[in-house]
Amino acid sequence: MDTLANSYVPLPAEALDADAMRAAIVRKLTYDLGKSQAGARDRDWFMATALAVRDRIVDRWLSVTRAAYEGGQKQVYYLSLEFLIGRLLRDGVTNLGLTELVSEALAPLGVDFEKVRQAEPDAALGNGGLGRLAACFMESLASLAIPAFGYGIRYEHGLFRQIIRDGWQQEYPEDWLNFGNPWEYARPEIAYDIGFGGAVEAVIVSEARMRHVWHPAETVQAVAYDTPVVGWRGQHVNTLRLWSARAADPLKLDAFNYGDHVGALADRVRQESICKVLYPSDESPAGQELRLKQEYFFASAALQDLVRRHLRVYGDLKSLPDKVSIQLNDTHPAIAVAELMRICLDLHGIAWDEAWEITQGTVSYTNHTLLPEALESWAVPLMERLLPRHMQIIYLINAFHLDRVRAKHPGDTRLLSSVSLIEEDHGRRVRMGHLAFVGSHKVNGVSALHSDLLKRTVFKDFHALEPGKVVNKTNGITFRRWLQQCNPGLTGLLTEAIGPAFLDNAEALKDLAPLAGDAAFQQKFLAVKRQNKEALATLIRSQLDIRVDPHAMFDVQIKRIHEYKRQLLNVLETIALYDAIRSQPTRDWVPRVKIFAGKAAASYHRAKQIIKLAHDVARVINSDPTVRNLLKVVFLPNYNVSLAEMIVPAADLSEQISTAGMEASGTGNMKLGLNGALTIGTLDGANVEMLEHVGAENIFIFGMTTEEVEARRREGVQGSAAIAASSRLSEVLEAVRSGVFSPDDRNRYRDLVDALCGSDYFMVAADFDAYFESQRQVATRWADQAAWQRSAILNTAHMGWFSSDRTIRDYAQEIWQVPVRR
Ligand code: 26V
């Protein structure tokens, strides 16, 4: 089935005319915003431009949405507690093909599109990789014309704003909605009641049948806010539907009339707090009740919405698995399994077995981490109090599930307790990963290694019971944002060199490979990179008042700060290099700028300490005259999608140095590789597949493998062993420990160094020498610029497979069974 044929709506001629666009923008400014041109600021022009662009999306949006129902197409629903979207203006404008037109429309008004673009606040409704993946997937779903909805929460405050004071991270609230959001349509009429607490009544329907009625103690309304998501070339538009909480009873009028003005509002404030802030997902176990409320709130709203839509067209729920696919982005929406069962059983009177078939046939689950401390579970008493009917259903799911296991493996109590949905050891808890697993027809990991590890570790017993259920879907990134939009220079060069086919088919980037050794092309490739580096250097200068040389190697590590990602390893290597430069200042050192950016979870002290160390080291190195311009250290504050879009095109070296076995995939690795950075990395996550695609001579792989890490941990080898064996590392750690970089507080890093001497859980000491050595090979390659440029070009050429279009096609084919154009 060609999903495009019946949905194509050409842009009206007026939409392609710069004068008409200008008039539209001015109309928006005047009549929607009530501003004069003279008084308009960049932010106002942004709003007016976004509203005018939005108008050009709506007709298609409405028509393709209608066509999907009428054509009986299967719908994909992507349930995610996070969507790390960033800005949307350039996304919409690029995909509609209006980039030049909008610039032309604005120029005669004396308005610079670039400034307008930058006035848009980032929608930071996510923590990191998981949320950004959801945003890339939404864009690819639309580009592939797969009818889909994203469901999530419209947080009033996204991820905190990071401010660095005296080297320490501080968190401030993010107010992305302060000046309004031009992309969203509020749908106050699309609202669902979400219940919490209360009791369950068992009603006898007949001798053979019992019906359960949940009487919640409290209900909150979920109200829809829709954002159109326009695909590449503007042919298809999907919906991102985010839910906001609205108190069912906004004001207790009697209390108000008695003069209790605050009390009259208290319930409302409490209920509406559900969508106030994004939880930092990489913070220790979410024991918080509010987090569970968020999870149920959005999962229930999504299910009520999609069930209502399905019933309107098909009349009953039997056909749900044929017409609907629900993808759970991690376990955060896993309660959807119990909620869909409840809807089938209690609201539609469907018998258990059929309800289970419908649920399993519809739902699938993506796992994004193996870290045991990151696997979600909820205390049974909390679940019983907040979601009493769901708890009953989970017990029943578990009972049937364990019956099946017992029938296959009688007497195997170890197996039973391992696969039980209820953990009995540390107080009774519901294991959300287990619930998601049993409620799904497919479970996937996000890179080949990660999926294999899923089968070997967390889901080992499940995998043995149901081989074939765990599959791999290696992550990808949308090339529209991460190449075309963020790197127009490179996009232009590529188009000139290999033609525009790669814009529609990422694999066509391969055509670049024959040019990798071409000296003239290398010069052009280098020139683009240089220009991007100059832009970043300007940003660094304006933000930090540090001058960096665009001719130096830009060595970049940008991601959440976490011990397993090993920014500490990078900082320690920086110190070692500093020592080496100081002891031989006249050697032919390769000039480098070490660039860091990333946020630490607010309560993660060790991660904040690492940020502080990076700043302490930066201060010492950047002010040491013997180092001159050979080494600079820069920490750019408040890492977000927009900052990534500045750094990624300017990077020469991409640091992907996580402890093997700990990074499920990584996606920054792909973004940086696509933009011509060489990777230095471990055999972890999708680095493994990057190695296969770019070839061993174009990537720097070092360090212990997953198996070696496991063995070393099992044997309990201490970090002190590695330190004793390395005079270089010993010196570095002695300097850190003794306060060379923290003269104001000489004990600041004592515990940090002690942890490395002890268990060295993340193998920082164990991998140090291998990493240092690999970095010297990087420098050697850099010294041969022709060889470096060749590798850089081949990285871009071989990154096509990492397009999220490929990932989404794989999901469509193997998990969702929806047709997709090739
Ligand atoms: C959660 C937690 C919670 C407890 C403390 C430690 C910790 C560390 C990490 C996490 C992240 C959980 C989920 C997540 O964000 N995974 C990321 O998903 C990306 C998209 O699949 C993937 O590229 C990253 O490798 C993976 O970390």
Side-chain angles (χ1 to χ4, degrees):
M1 189 189 337
D2 183 359
T3 48
L4 289 176
N6 50 13
S7 60
Y8 185 75
V9 183
L11 272 183
E14 191 219 45
L16 300 171
D17 178 79
D19 294 332
M21 176 61 96
R22 185 178 315 114
I25 294 171
V26 171
R27 261 197 315 276
K28 294 290 179 191
L29 184 76
T30 316
Y31 299 107
D32 286 40
L33 305 179
K35 295 255 169 138
S36 69
Q37 290 183 46
R41 326 227 320 226
D42 288 339
R43 192 194 305 127
D44 304 314
W45 286 115
F46 157 68
M47 289 291 281
T49 308
L51 289 170
V53 169
R54 191 181 74 165
D55 280 359
R56 280 151 182 74
I57 298 173
V58 176
D59 289 327
R60 287 151 195 257
W61 188 26
L62 301 179
S63 72
V64 300
T65 306
R66 211 172 34 245
Y69 301 142
E70 288 167 1
Q73 293 177 41
K74 194 169 188 180
Q75 290 271 354
V76 173
Y77 294 99
Y78 199 79
L79 270 59
S80 179
L81 212 43
E82 305 191 7
F83 287 93
L84 222 187
I85 300 165
R87 293 175 175 146
L88 279 176
L89 180 57
R90 188 162 60 179
D91 209 38
V93 165
T94 311
N95 282 2
L96 290 171
L98 299 176
T99 308
E100 270 94 66
L101 186 101
V102 171
S103 293
E104 275 173 44
L106 290 170
L109 300 165
V111 178
D112 175 16
F113 179 52
E114 186 50 27
K115 277 201 179 144
V116 170
R117 191 185 75 69
Q118 290 189 23
E120 178 172 9
D122 267 44
L125 311 185
N127 277 284
L130 172 145
R132 183 54 234 174
L133 185 76
C136 283
F137 279 7
M138 287 307 296
E139 203 273 353
S140 276
L141 282 162
S143 293
L144 295 172
I146 296 173
F149 275 75
Y151 282 124
I153 292 182
R154 181 180 177 272
Y155 301 107
E156 259 168 58
H157 305 285
L159 187 60
F160 65 85
R161 196 154 51 88
Q162 178 194 54
I163 286 182
I164 305 289
R165 192 150 291 146
D166 191 25
W168 293 103
Q169 168 179 298
Q170 295 182 350
E171 304 84 27
Y172 288 82
E174 184 75 275
D175 292 317
W176 72 295
L177 291 171
N178 257 4
F179 296 101
N181 174 4
W183 301 113
E184 69 182 11
Y185 288 87
R187 310 278 194 208
E189 76 285 9
I190 302 179
Y192 298 96
D193 284 341
I194 314 295
F196 292 103
V200 180
E201 182 191 1
V203 183
I204 296 165
V205 182
S206 72
E207 240 175 75
R209 223 180 162 90
M210 185 100 112
R211 199 154 174 165
H212 292 85
V213 183
W214 177 24
H215 301 287
E218 177 174 51
T219 54
V220 181
Q221 287 198 323
V223 184
Y225 284 75
D226 288 349
T227 299
V229 180
V230 56
W232 171 232
R233 298 213 186 272
Q235 295 168 46
H236 189 90
V237 188
N238 281 327
T239 305
L240 175 61
R241 176 160 285 178
L242 301 180
W243 301 101
S244 184
R246 182 171 70 189
D249 188 7
L251 180 70
K252 284 192 184 139
L253 206 54
D254 48 348
F256 191 86
N257 289 339
Y258 279 117
D260 181 9
H261 300 150
V262 173
L265 282 167
D267 277 348
R268 174 182 179 167
V269 169
R270 196 175 44 78
Q271 294 184 356
E272 295 185 351
S273 71
I274 288 181
C275 63
K276 280 281 178 283
V277 311
L278 164 80
Y279 266 95
S281 79
D282 53 359
E283 205 156 300
S284 293
Q288 313 90 329
E289 181 170 328
L290 188 60
R291 168 79 176 196
L292 179 56
K293 281 188 164 180
Q294 287 186 339
E295 294 184 352
Y296 178 63
F297 170 80
F298 103 99
S300 174
L303 285 179
Q304 292 188 52
D305 195 46
L306 73 87
V307 161
R308 191 198 56 168
R309 186 173 304 115
H310 181 82
L311 289 175
R312 223 170 35 211
V313 182
Y314 302 101
D316 71 57
L317 289 175
K318 286 195 177 69
S319 56
L320 199 72
D322 299 329
K323 296 297 177 186
V324 164
S325 272
I326 297 172
Q327 190 69 36
L328 307 179
N329 197 23
D330 218 294
T331 55
H332 315 147
I335 192 67
V337 171
E339 175 71 350
L340 185 51
M341 285 298 285
R342 185 184 74 87
I343 291 172
C344 289
L345 298 166
D346 299 359
L347 306 186
H348 295 275
I350 297 172
W352 181 276
D353 288 349
E354 191 176 356
W356 188 238
E357 218 170 282
I358 291 172
T359 300
Q360 264 198 332
T362 308
V363 174
S364 41
Y365 151 59
T366 307
N367 173 286
H368 293 269
T369 182
L370 296 163
L371 303 188
E373 70 271 33
L375 299 177
E376 257 191 321
S377 70
W378 293 106
V380 167
L382 173 63
M383 277 279 223
E384 271 168 344
R385 180 160 57 77
L386 227 50
L387 301 169
R389 179 59 182 144
H390 297 79
M391 198 58 237
Q392 291 179 344
I393 291 172
I394 290 169
Y395 277 136
L396 265 180
I397 294 174
N398 199 33
F400 290 126
H401 158 62
L402 294 180
D403 281 349
R404 280 188 299 269
V405 177
R406 219 177 277 114
K408 263 190 168 174
H409 303 270
D412 193 341
T413 50
R414 187 213 59 85
L415 179 64
L416 284 177
S417 74
S418 142
V419 299
S420 172
L421 305 193
I422 310 292
E423 185 190 325
E424 310 275 355
D425 292 349
H426 317 94
R428 309 187 69 223
R429 303 180 72 85
V430 181
R431 298 159 158 163
M432 301 308 274
H434 286 31
L435 176 62
F437 196 105
V438 299
S440 297
H441 60 283
K442 282 280 190 299
V443 173
N444 75 284
V446 290
S447 73
L449 172 67
H450 170 64
S451 298
D452 281 347
L453 288 172
L454 279 182
K455 296 183 215 166
R456 277 214 294 120
T457 62
V458 275
F459 292 133
K460 182 170 194 256
D461 289 324
F462 281 102
H463 175 59
L465 289 166
E466 290 185 84
K469 191 161 178 176
V470 180
V471 297
N472 175 244
K473 293 285 158 277
T474 299
N475 283 167
I477 57 173
T478 166
F479 284 23
R480 269 72 65 181
R481 182 177 291 259
W482 295 109
L483 175 60
Q484 284 176 243
Q485 296 166 34
C486 76
N487 202 342
L490 182 55
T491 307
L493 175 61
L494 297 176
T495 311
E496 177 193 306
I498 58 171
F502 75 94
L503 299 175
D504 296 278
N505 167 23
E507 291 283 352
L509 282 172
K510 284 216 163 59
D511 296 346
L512 201 60
L515 290 170
D518 179 318
F521 184 74
Q522 286 185 357
Q523 280 311 308
K524 292 184 189 169
F525 197 83
L526 174 69
V528 169
K529 181 65 78 181
R530 186 66 47 76
Q531 214 172 27
N532 295 334
K533 288 167 76 174
E534 273 160 17
L536 182 59
T538 306
L539 182 83
I540 291 170
R541 179 89 202 273
S542 73
Q543 293 239 324
L544 299 169
D545 200 22
I546 297 175
R547 276 178 201 269
V548 299
D549 179 2
H551 295 88
M553 181 201 302
F554 282 15
D555 174 345
V556 166
Q557 188 170 20
I558 47 173
K559 50 184 79 240
R560 288 299 294 252
I561 311 291
H562 204 290
E563 286 166 282
Y564 84 79
K565 295 178 187 283
R566 299 200 293 190
Q567 281 91 356
L568 179 57
L569 179 60
N570 191 351
V571 173
L572 297 180
E573 192 272 339
T574 305
I575 298 171
L577 177 58
Y578 171 56
D579 286 345
I581 293 172
R582 277 200 311 174
S583 58
Q584 288 181 287
T586 56
R587 246 187 65 178
D588 54 346
W589 297 103
V590 165
R592 272 197 210 229
V593 184
K594 289 264 189 184
I595 298 170
F596 295 88
K599 292 175 180 175
S603 64
Y604 193 171
H605 174 256
R606 179 52 52 86
K608 289 179 154 179
Q609 195 181 24
I610 293 168
I611 294 177
K612 174 66 174 165
L613 177 63
H615 282 87
D616 278 343
V617 170
R619 189 192 60 250
V620 171
I621 295 180
N622 296 346
S623 62
D624 186 335
T626 57
V627 178
R628 292 158 293 143
N629 272 336
L630 295 174
L631 185 59
K632 282 267 155 73
V633 183
V634 167
F635 189 104
L636 281 163
N638 201 34
Y639 183 57
N640 60 13
V641 172
S642 290
L643 184 55
E645 288 168 7
M646 284 295 296
I647 300 173
V648 162
D652 294 308
L653 185 66
S654 160
E655 300 268 357
Q656 309 300 335
I657 60 176
S658 51
T659 315
M662 301 196 78
E663 187 71 275
S665 161
T667 47
N669 44 2
M670 304 167 189
K671 291 161 199 166
L672 289 154
L674 176 61
N675 285 272
L678 274 59
T679 298
I680 181 168
T682 46
L683 281 176
D684 200 15
N687 295 353
V688 176
E689 285 133 298
M690 285 178 62
L691 163 65
E692 284 162 16
H693 280 84
V694 304
E697 63 287 6
N698 300 307
I699 188 167
F700 298 90
I701 298 291
F702 73 93
M704 297 164 73
T705 61
T706 303
E707 291 74 24
E708 287 165 348
V709 170
E710 281 168 3
R712 200 176 170 97
R713 280 184 190 152
R714 215 175 25 243
E715 290 157 16
V717 182
Q718 297 282 293
S720 50
I723 297 166
S726 167
S727 57
R728 180 170 286 117
L729 178 57
S730 304
E731 279 168 35
V732 168
L733 290 181
E734 189 40 41
V736 175
R737 188 171 213 288
S738 66
V740 169
F741 301 96
S742 52
D744 53 327
D745 176 5
R746 294 200 170 267
N747 291 325
R748 183 173 293 145
Y749 300 115
R750 255 224 173 141
D751 57 335
L752 186 83
V753 174
D754 287 346
L756 298 185
C757 299
S759 84
D760 187 25
Y761 186 76
F762 299 97
M763 306 286 149
V764 170
D767 265 343
F768 180 84
D769 277 354
Y771 177 57
F772 186 86
E773 178 45 38
S774 188
Q775 284 285 20
R776 304 295 68 78
Q777 289 172 21
V778 168
T780 307
R781 180 76 55 91
W782 180 267
D784 179 353
Q785 269 296 301
W788 183 278
Q789 293 309 323
R790 182 174 179 281
S791 284
I793 294 163
L794 288 174
N795 267 270
T796 300
H798 291 133
M799 220 44 66
W801 189 76
F802 297 94
S803 161
S804 44
D805 296 352
R806 186 269 312 153
T807 312
I808 289 296
R809 277 201 194 92
D810 286 355
Y811 275 90
Q813 210 165 45
E814 195 183 7
I815 299 182
W816 305 329
Q817 253 103 51
V818 301
V820 56
R821 73 191 150 115
R822 281 281 119 190

